[in-house]
Amino acid sequence: MSTRAKGGKGTPATVAATKAKIEYTLHSYEVDPDAESYGEAAADALGVPYGQLFKTLLAEVDGRLTVGIVPVSATLDLKALAAAAGGKKARMADPKNAERATGYVVGGISPLGQRRALPAVVDASVSALATVYVSAGRRGLQIELAPADLIRLTGARVAAIARG
């Protein structure tokens, strides 16, 4: 199912996209509570290639929360993320800290409309895509938008941060 949000209602992610006046499409799907990977389950449910649906991961780079946005077909290269963010060392953030900082629950963390503006890096593979899918702020809802709009709305740097 595809819809366009009207009037700024919805999740903080859809509100942010609407306020920015970008073109986007929402896609909802049934959540599989037993899925091992939220991202791959979302891609399967929507019939989207794994390389086009990106997951939002939070890491601590030199103690500072940083957002890594990579295809669900890949893993986040922490060393590459640290380098892209201008740091030395990165480790995955505690899920509770990620939820507190973003205002979203794990499995539904969107790179858009986060509670606090955090530094973000999106994998360079995004540049080859016409559109990209990311979480719209809750499990069962993805937002499809142009890579340039994702980069602009998140203030992300583009760098090779995905492995596999």
Side-chain angles (χ1 to χ4, degrees):
M1 176 183 128
S2 297
T3 56
R4 180 83 164 88
K6 303 278 187 232
K9 292 184 178 166
T11 68
T14 61
V15 170
T18 300
K19 266 187 176 169
K21 294 182 168 66
I22 64 161
E23 288 296 316
Y24 66 90
T25 305
L26 289 178
H27 300 275
S28 61
Y29 61 94
E30 284 298 314
V31 176
D32 177 358
D34 299 323
E36 286 185 33
S37 164
Y38 295 120
E40 288 179 3
D44 289 343
L46 295 171
V48 175
Y50 289 176
Q52 190 177 3
L53 195 141
F54 281 51
K55 55 190 170 185
T56 305
L57 302 169
L58 269 78
E60 288 183 20
V61 176
D62 296 342
R64 183 173 181 205
L65 282 177
T66 303
V67 178
I69 308 163
V70 297
V72 299
S73 58
T75 57
L76 177 62
D77 182 332
L78 290 169
K79 200 175 241 184
L81 177 67
K88 293 185 187 324
K89 204 169 198 175
R91 66 181 179 89
M92 292 307 295
D94 176 86
K96 294 283 183 229
N97 290 343
E99 290 179 344
R100 208 172 9 262
T102 63
Y104 295 117
V105 297
V106 169
I109 294 178
S110 177
L112 310 174
Q114 294 183 355
R115 184 176 286 152
R116 285 192 346 225
L118 298 170
V121 181
V122 65
D123 185 63
S125 64
V126 78
S127 301
L129 302 171
T131 63
V132 63
Y133 292 69
V134 295
S135 174
R138 68 174 166 78
R139 294 177 192 152
L141 191 63
Q142 292 283 315
I143 185 170
E144 178 185 8
L145 68 165
D149 288 331
L150 172 65
I151 293 162
R152 185 171 53 85
L153 283 177
T154 58
R157 288 186 178 156
V158 178
I161 59 167
R163 237 189 335 199

